[in-house]
Amino acid sequence: MAGDGGPGPRRPEDGRGREQGHGQGHGQGDGRGHRPERRGRRPGTEPLTARSPLRLRAVLSSVALVAAAAAAIVFAVSAAADGGDGEWAAAGLCAAVAVVAALDLVVIARRARP
């Protein structure tokens, strides 16, 4: 039954039907289901002078690159002397971290360009 408030299709006579934009936009805007555009206003609370922390990210990636590369070399030299599988795994893991840090530095350099 359509008039008992239960589930069922909405009818135009209940004020929520097709005449208000097919239910899109909740009746706000221009009647076509679009929300009004807010020109000149920022959508959030971010200040106009907000800047991304690329410099801090670059410093952290540089430190990670140097530390991971040094650790990879130490583990590789130790594994070559002892032949331990765990040391080779640690050297590989540290090398992977160094590669990720290097790639992050490339991404930072590309984003820092105007």
Side-chain angles (χ1 to χ4, degrees), residues 2-30:
D4 64 355
R10 291 184 176 167
R11 294 185 176 229
E13 63 266 15
D14 67 0
R16 296 178 288 178
R18 294 182 180 268
E19 72 273 8
Q20 290 187 358
H22 306 286
Q24 298 173 2
H26 304 291
Q28 299 174 356
D30 59 2

Side-chain angles (χ1 to χ4, degrees), residues 35-81:
R35 291 186 166 223
E37 294 184 29
R38 298 186 310 183
R39 295 182 189 263
R41 290 181 50 190
R42 297 177 66 93
T45 59
E46 179 178 337
L48 293 174
T49 58
R51 305 178 90 191
S52 64
L54 286 178
R55 183 175 293 159
L56 176 62
R57 185 172 157 190
V59 168
L60 292 175
S61 290
S62 299
V63 169
L65 176 63
V66 171
I73 291 170
V74 168
F75 281 123
V77 168
S78 177

